[in-house]
């Protein structure tokens, strides 16, 4: 699936004559795109080391299976909340708060 999507993007870039460049250290563009689509799923780290969602304030936590579990980034965007023993965020990325005024309406 991911290879099919990559191939489609490469074909589109070739068609409109955009040079294909790789930037292994430049993931800000991808993270900004995800943030633009999920800005309403933003959460901020609190002094209690829990997270508080921004749109509808509630306390949430990073899911233990997440690669970010234990790292405590200040701001994150998540895809979904799962309730087990607590409300957990799954599929999360760290974001920069300065992106939000430009991305979120």
């Amino acid at each position: 699936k991911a290879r099919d999507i990559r191939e489609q993007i490469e074909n589109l870039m070739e068609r409109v004559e955009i040079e294909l460049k790789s930037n292994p250290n430049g993931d800000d563009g991808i993270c900004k795109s995800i943030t633009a689509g999920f800005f309403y799923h933003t959460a901020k780290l609190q002094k209690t080391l829990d997270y508080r969602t921004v749109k509808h304030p509630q306390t949430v936590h990073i899911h233990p299976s997440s690669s970010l579990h234990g790292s405590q980034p200040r701001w994150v965007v998540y895809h979904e909340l799962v309730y087990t023993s607590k409300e957990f965020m799954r599929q999360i990325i760290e974001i920069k708060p300065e992106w939000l005024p430009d991305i979120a309406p």
Side-chain angles (χ1 to χ4, degrees):
K1 183 85 174 168
R3 286 187 181 145
D4 292 341
I5 294 169
R6 180 181 171 84
E7 192 173 301
Q8 289 175 23
I9 292 171
E10 287 175 348
N11 291 338
L12 287 170
M13 291 177 69
E14 190 174 298
R15 188 176 341 159
V16 294
E17 299 176 1
I18 296 175
E19 182 181 353
L20 179 63
K21 294 182 190 177
S22 180
N23 186 356
N25 298 323
D27 56 356
D28 276 3
I30 293 169
C31 290
K32 280 183 179 179
S33 297
I34 293 169
T35 303
F38 289 94
F39 65 87
Y40 48 88
H41 285 174
T42 302
K44 182 182 179 188
L45 183 65
Q46 302 298 299
K47 292 178 183 175
T48 59
L49 302 180
D50 296 322
Y51 286 85
R52 193 85 174 149
T53 58
V54 175
K55 178 122 172 117
H56 301 292
Q58 66 186 60
T59 300
V60 294
H61 309 277
I62 296 177
H63 195 275
S65 67
S66 172
S67 62
L68 292 180
H69 186 260
S71 64
Q72 300 170 334
R74 285 188 53 224
W75 287 85
V76 296
V77 167
Y78 61 91
H79 176 259
E80 66 180 346
L81 293 175
V82 177
Y83 184 79
T84 56
S85 58
K86 301 182 210 175
E87 195 85 32
F88 288 107
M89 300 177 287
R90 289 188 24 178
Q91 293 91 30
I92 67 171
I93 60 167
E94 183 174 5
I95 65 166
K96 296 177 182 171
E98 58 267 20
W99 295 345
L100 293 172
D102 296 332
I103 294 172

